[in-house]
């Protein structure tokens, strides 16, 4: 089951055509995942995730324009790969707040836990891996 988040594009996010531009689309993806990876993980007692996660890879595919308006857009997030030192989240960004709204953007980020003290990547703990599976769904085998 995907994790769902509602985010609201801002008027400052739009390009000259009234669409959310690429840089701001990347920010919307971040805004969708931050409450889960920082807030919900900390509430579950997993304080290390909030101390450092870096984007290793990002891919964004545009299927339809996402027009800035006065409504939230639904972002569905699913865990597609879980390794010991990284994980991948797939996104489906809808044109409105509901699942029936057209999918405007699909994207994928590979993220890695990062120790800011040592300035090095680190391994996910088993508790963190379990949290990701619970919060984003089991990755496809």
């Amino acid at each position: 089951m995907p994790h769902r988040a509602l985010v609201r594009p801002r008027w400052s996010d739009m390009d000259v055509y009234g669409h959310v531009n690429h840089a701001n689309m990347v920010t919307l993806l971040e805004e969708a995942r931050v409450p889960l990876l920082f807030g919900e993980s900390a509430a579950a007692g997993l304080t290390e995730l909030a101390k450092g996660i870096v984007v290793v890879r990002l891919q964004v595919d545009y299927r339809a324009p996402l027009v800035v308006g006065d409504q939230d857009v639904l972002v569905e997030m699913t865990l597609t790969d879980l390794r010991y030192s990284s994980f991948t989240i797939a996104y489906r960004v809808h044109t409105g707040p509901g699942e029936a709204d057209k999918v405007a953007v699909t994207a994928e980020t590979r993220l890695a836990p990062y120790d800011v003290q040592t300035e090095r990547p680190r391994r996910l703990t088993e508790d963190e891996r379990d949290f990701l599976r619970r919060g984003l769904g089991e990755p496809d085998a």
Side-chain angles (χ1 to χ4, degrees), residues 37-48:
L37 297 180
F38 290 76
E40 291 179 36
S41 69
L46 303 172
T47 58
E48 293 303 306

Side-chain angles (χ1 to χ4, degrees), residues 27-66:
T27 300
L28 288 176
L29 298 174
E30 180 178 15
E31 289 174 358
R33 72 175 174 261
V34 160
L36 174 71
L37 297 180
F38 290 76
E40 291 179 36
S41 69
L46 303 172
T47 58
E48 293 303 306
L49 279 179
K51 292 181 182 177
I53 297 175
V54 295
V55 175
V56 175
R57 181 178 172 276
L58 167 69
Q59 178 180 333
V60 182
D61 295 311
Y62 296 92
R63 303 188 181 287
L66 184 59

Side-chain angles (χ1 to χ4, degrees), residues 5 23-24 31 35 49 54 61 80 86 102 106 108 116 122 131:
N24 290 318
E31 289 174 358
L49 279 179
V54 295
D61 295 311
T80 59
S86 68
K102 186 176 185 173
T106 57
E108 193 173 85
V116 294
R122 66 171 182 82
F131 172 81

Side-chain angles (χ1 to χ4, degrees), residues 80-94:
T80 59
D81 188 41
L82 180 59
R83 299 177 183 222
Y84 289 100
S85 59
S86 68
F87 57 100
T88 301
I89 300 175
Y91 307 81
R92 291 170 40 95
V93 181
H94 294 261

